[in-house]
């Protein structure tokens, strides 16, 4: 009983203290509290990160940001950015804030603004580089630029081209959906991965309600239907949504390409990183290599993102609801991204649009 009274007393003190704060600071503190509660309760990577021994650092970071916000040293936008950047910079590039401050000051700390260095606006292309090499540039996985049909046609055009070698360029591709790669996976596949993986969903009311809304709008969405049907029946917080043995489909080995290259940069992210992970897990390096100057973005072990505005500031924060079993097994420092197999020791190209740039010509010569 004494412990209960003490707890209530402390709660009243905190509540009254906040009531004395200026209204704007009180709303800011409320927004930060909402953000912390949302990620701790729903972000799938959070309990894993805590289990791996980062709890003390997290509590220190959270207390410092809360103190600076409540005393007016920083505003709510900076507080939200600093809190999310703690996850973004160390563990998971899928935790981020959709505001200019985040991209100008925080994102820029660990990413490269290529557009400031050269003409950088990758476009979908599919054509012959030389007699032996075909280029397919895929700047997005959203299914819009290019479409799934465009990539399917590009893969078919390559097979009919007579070229032995294939370059797949995913520089500037920040992701979208993994399904875009269905025409490409069979071309690269050599073997099943030695360490198969599966995917886990954090089964919370908020996460499930998001997929219920998707299902209401699109009853044929298979992912949303599976999650809603199965997770409502489960008492587990982490629900496996894919069996290990089904994590990678068995494809017949394609005779072409004889050699393949995948070109990456720091903006290669999420579903684009799926292609890199597939190459590293299921493709023999004597046949398929990843080329680049920098590692990829660092959003390779999570997915199925939810965006939510904070109640007062309306700042949008994004977090993933699913993680790979590799994240659980130890790859929690995924923010470092995936490294190229071959480092490109060349200057950045003069431009990257629809052109066959200097990097592509160099790789074609290497193949």
């Amino acid at each position: 009983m004494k412990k209960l009274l003490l707890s209530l007393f402390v709660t009243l003190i905190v509540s009254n203290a906040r009531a004395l704060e200026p209204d704007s600071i009180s709303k800011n503190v409320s927004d930060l509290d909402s953000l912390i509660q949302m990620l701790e309760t729903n972000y799938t990577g959070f309990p894993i990160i805590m289990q791996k021994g980062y709890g003390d650092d997290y509590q220190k970071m959270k207390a410092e940001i809360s103190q600076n916000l409540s005393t007016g040293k920083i505003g709510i936008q900076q507080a939200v950015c600093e809190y999310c950047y703690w996850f973004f910079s160390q563990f998971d590039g899928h935790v981020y804030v959709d505001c200019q401050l985040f991209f100008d000051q925080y994102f820029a700390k660990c990413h490269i603004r290529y557009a400031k260095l050269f003409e950088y606006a990758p476009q979908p292309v599919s054509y012959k580089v030389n007699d032996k090499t075909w280029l397919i540039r895929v700047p997005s996985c959203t299914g819009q630029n290019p479409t799934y049909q465009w990539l399917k046609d590009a893969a078919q055009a390559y097979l009919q081209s007579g070229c032995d070698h294939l370059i797949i360029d995913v520089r500037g591709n920040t992701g979208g959906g993994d399904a875009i790669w269905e025409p490409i996976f069979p071309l690269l596949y050599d073997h099943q991965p030695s360490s198969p993986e599966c995917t886990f969903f954090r089964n919370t009311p908020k996460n499930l309600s998001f997929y219920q809304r998707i299902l209401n709008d699109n009853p044929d969405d298979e992912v949303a239907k599976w999650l809603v049907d199965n997770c409502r029946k489960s008492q587990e917080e982490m629900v496996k949504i894919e069996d290990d043995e089904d994590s990678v489909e068995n494809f017949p080995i394609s005779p072409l390409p004889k050699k393949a290259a995948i070109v990456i940069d720091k903006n290669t992210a999420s579903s684009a990183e799926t292609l890199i992970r597939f190459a590293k897990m299921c493709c023999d390096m004597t046949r398929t290599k990843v080329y680049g100057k920098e590692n990829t973005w660092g959003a390779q072990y999570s997915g199925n993102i939810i965006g939510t505005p904070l109640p007062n500031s309306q700042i949008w924060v994004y977090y993933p609801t699913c993680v790979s079993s590799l994240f659980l097994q130890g790859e929690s420092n995924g923010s470092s991204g995936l490294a190229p197999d071959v480092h490109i020791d060349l200057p950045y190209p003069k431009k990257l649009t629809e052109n066959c740039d200097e990097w592509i010509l160099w790789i074609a010569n290497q193949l």
Side-chain angles (χ1 to χ4, degrees):
M1 186 63 179
K2 287 182 180 180
K3 288 184 178 180
L4 175 60
L5 289 173
L6 179 59
S7 175
L8 289 172
F9 180 66
V10 171
T11 302
L12 287 170
I13 288 176
V14 172
S15 299
N16 288 335
R18 288 187 178 173
L20 296 174
E21 294 172 348
D23 184 58
S24 60
I25 292 182
S26 179
K27 288 182 178 179
N28 288 347
V29 170
S30 176
D31 265 8
L32 181 61
D33 288 347
S34 295
L35 170 62
I36 291 170
Q37 191 274 337
M38 178 175 68
L39 259 64
E40 289 184 355
T41 305
N42 300 288
Y43 167 40
T44 311
F46 181 81
I48 302 165
I49 293 168
M50 295 303 104
Q51 290 167 13
K52 294 183 183 300
Y54 293 95
D56 290 344
D57 288 344
Y58 172 74
Q59 294 299 335
K60 181 179 178 181
M61 174 275 295
K62 184 171 64 170
E64 182 177 350
I65 293 174
S66 297
Q67 174 69 14
N68 289 338
L69 181 65
S70 63
T71 57
K73 290 183 180 179
I74 61 175
I76 183 59
Q77 196 172 78
Q78 184 177 348
V80 170
C81 287
E82 289 185 1
Y83 178 81
C84 291
Y85 184 72
W86 189 84
F87 296 97
F88 178 90
S89 63
Q90 297 183 88
F91 309 105
D92 189 345
H94 273 139
V95 180
Y96 67 94
V97 187
D98 187 11
C99 72
Q100 199 62 43
L101 178 66
F102 186 82
F103 289 102
D104 285 347
Q105 294 189 21
Y106 294 89
F107 175 88
K109 290 181 181 180
C110 52
H111 284 263
I112 299 169
R113 295 295 185 90
Y114 294 109
K116 292 185 176 181
L117 302 175
F118 59 98
E119 187 179 347
Y120 183 83
Q123 300 298 317
V125 296
S126 173
Y127 53 64
K128 184 180 288 189
V129 174
N130 56 36
D131 289 341
K132 288 187 175 181
T133 308
W134 190 269
L135 168 66
I136 300 177
R137 180 171 293 142
V138 186
S140 171
C141 295
T142 63
Q144 302 299 318
N145 186 40
T147 63
Y148 173 85
Q149 186 60 49
W150 183 95
L151 190 54
K152 184 177 180 180
D153 293 342
Q156 190 61 35
Y158 160 67
L159 290 173
Q160 295 173 354
S161 70
C163 294
D164 288 339
H165 304 156
L166 174 64
I167 299 175
I168 304 170
D169 188 350
V170 287
R171 287 173 289 175
N173 188 328
T174 57
D178 290 353
I180 193 78
W181 299 121
E182 288 180 7
I184 298 298
F185 284 157
L187 296 178
L188 303 180
Y189 175 85
D190 293 318
H191 57 268
Q192 278 281 303
S194 56
S195 300
E197 64 179 298
C198 57
T199 303
F200 288 88
F201 172 78
R202 192 170 184 187
N203 188 12
T204 69
K206 178 178 175 59
N207 291 347
L208 266 186
S209 67
F210 175 82
Y211 289 99
Q212 181 64 65
R213 291 195 298 274
I214 292 177
L215 191 60
N216 292 343
D217 294 337
N218 183 9
D220 294 327
D221 190 306
E222 293 183 4
V223 173
K225 188 176 189 309
W226 193 99
L227 285 171
V228 170
D229 289 348
N230 287 274
C231 292
R232 290 203 186 283
K233 304 172 187 176
S234 176
Q235 301 299 314
E236 299 292 328
E237 181 183 13
M238 295 289 189
V239 176
K240 184 190 290 187
I241 62 174
E242 188 177 43
D243 290 332
D244 284 351
E245 59 268 23
D246 296 329
S247 61
V248 176
E249 184 177 346
N250 276 303
F251 299 105
I253 298 176
S254 173
L256 290 174
K258 292 182 179 179
K259 288 189 177 180
I262 303 173
V263 194
I264 63 172
D265 64 13
K266 194 61 180 175
N267 286 339
T268 302
S270 193
S271 294
E273 287 175 298
T274 296
L275 178 67
I276 315 308
R277 293 177 63 230
F278 180 87
K280 290 179 178 290
M281 290 191 302
C282 301
C283 308
D284 194 315
M285 273 190 60
T286 60
R287 181 173 176 238
T288 302
K289 290 185 176 69
V290 178
Y291 291 74
K293 200 176 184 70
E294 295 91 21
N295 289 9
T296 60
W297 179 298
Q300 66 269 31
Y301 298 124
S302 64
N304 291 353
I305 304 170
I306 286 180
T308 302
L310 300 180
N312 297 300
S313 62
Q314 293 297 296
I315 297 171
W316 279 79
V317 175
Y318 290 80
Y319 69 89
T321 59
C322 295
V323 296
S324 161
S325 54
L326 297 181
F327 196 101
L328 281 77
Q329 294 165 11
E331 298 293 342
S332 59
N333 194 14
S335 63
S336 58
L338 298 166
D341 300 315
V342 180
H343 181 265
I344 298 178
D345 191 19
L346 295 172
Y348 294 117
K350 295 177 181 178
K351 73 171 185 176
L352 180 63
T353 56
E354 76 291 342
N355 61 311
C356 183
D357 65 282
E358 297 91 331
W359 283 19
I360 296 300
L361 294 175
W362 182 82
I363 294 170
N365 184 59
Q366 297 297 307
L367 294 176

